[in-house]
Amino acid sequence: MADRTLDVVGICGSLRKGSYNRMVLQALPALAPAGMQIREAPPFHEFPLYNADLQSASGFPAPVEALGAAIRAADAVIIVTPEYNFGIPGGLKNAIDWISRLPNQPFAGKPIALQSASPGPLGGARVQYDLRRSLVFLDALTLNKPEIFIGNHAQRIDEKTGRITDAQTHELLRQQLAAFATFIAAHGRRD
């Protein structure tokens, strides 16, 4: 695996164009270690609400298949998400519910890193706890440390430019991405 570029897809848990979490996701390619490329996964904003009757009647919608295929094809996934009401944003949870029902379940055995940015001081710690529980059920391999909780995000990310302005946040993101590359090499698929 060391001889090739690690292909990582990033999923933003917010649907908002101006999301601070999207800004973090967009900053990651420049912070990634050599040999890792990070690209944004296909969006989930067109997913209907999960309904087993819909799945039985019509199969999987094309956007669900596209995201599932991107996750399957990637070496790993980074989820960068806000915390809504102490939990997973509804759109992201719906996307996970759809993806979890695809054949050849895309998250199974897939290395996953979690990041969150929040206006509060905890930086989205509760959403990561909830995501970890869901990902355990899906047999994903979630990186434990270092953790990324960007609290008081407006003090660390410039809302107008989308740039991360805080040097410590930059360094923590670099550290997690370097650790994630090692984790992927140890636990990811073998080609």
Side-chain angles (χ1 to χ4, degrees), residues 5 9 11 19 22 32 34-35 53 71 82 84 88 90 104 112 127 131 156 165 167 171-172 174 183 189-190:
T5 299
V9 293
I11 298 172
S19 164
R22 183 165 309 286
D53 291 340
I71 293 168
Y84 288 179
I88 302 171
N104 185 19
I112 310 280
V127 70
L131 274 170
R156 292 170 172 70
T165 57
E171 182 54 28
L172 290 171
R174 281 186 204 280
F183 185 76
R189 73 173 178 234
R190 306 281 191 249

Side-chain angles (χ1 to χ4, degrees), residues 83 86 116 118 122-130 132 148-149:
E83 177 181 290
F86 289 4
S116 52
S118 168
L122 297 180
R126 291 170 287 231
V127 70
Q128 289 195 31
Y129 173 74
D130 282 351
R132 285 178 188 279
I148 300 294
F149 305 111

Side-chain angles (χ1 to χ4, degrees), residues 52-175:
D53 291 340
L54 177 62
Q55 179 188 336
S56 295
S58 307
F60 292 97
V64 172
E65 294 277 11
L67 180 55
I71 293 168
R72 266 191 224 101
D75 294 307
V77 177
I78 296 176
I79 300 174
V80 187
T81 185
E83 177 181 290
Y84 288 179
N85 300 315
F86 289 4
I88 302 171
L92 177 59
K93 179 64 169 76
N94 185 57
I96 291 169
D97 290 344
W98 269 108
I99 298 299
S100 73
R101 283 153 177 87
L102 286 168
N104 185 19
Q105 209 283 93
F107 285 114
K110 190 68 60 175
I112 310 280
L114 302 176
Q115 301 177 356
S116 52
S118 168
L122 297 180
R126 291 170 287 231
V127 70
Q128 289 195 31
Y129 173 74
D130 282 351
L131 274 170
R132 285 178 188 279
R133 289 185 309 132
S134 292
L135 293 168
V136 164
F137 178 78
L138 299 176
D139 290 326
L141 305 171
T142 307
L143 176 71
N144 290 323
K145 293 178 185 171
E147 297 175 301
I148 300 294
F149 305 111
I150 304 171
N152 303 308
H153 62 34
Q155 297 172 17
R156 292 170 172 70
I157 303 167
D158 184 315
E159 182 179 19
K160 291 184 178 131
T161 66
R163 292 185 59 237
I164 297 170
T165 57
D166 179 64
Q168 183 180 21
T169 300
H170 260 267
E171 182 54 28
L172 290 171
L173 288 166
R174 281 186 204 280
Q175 288 174 18

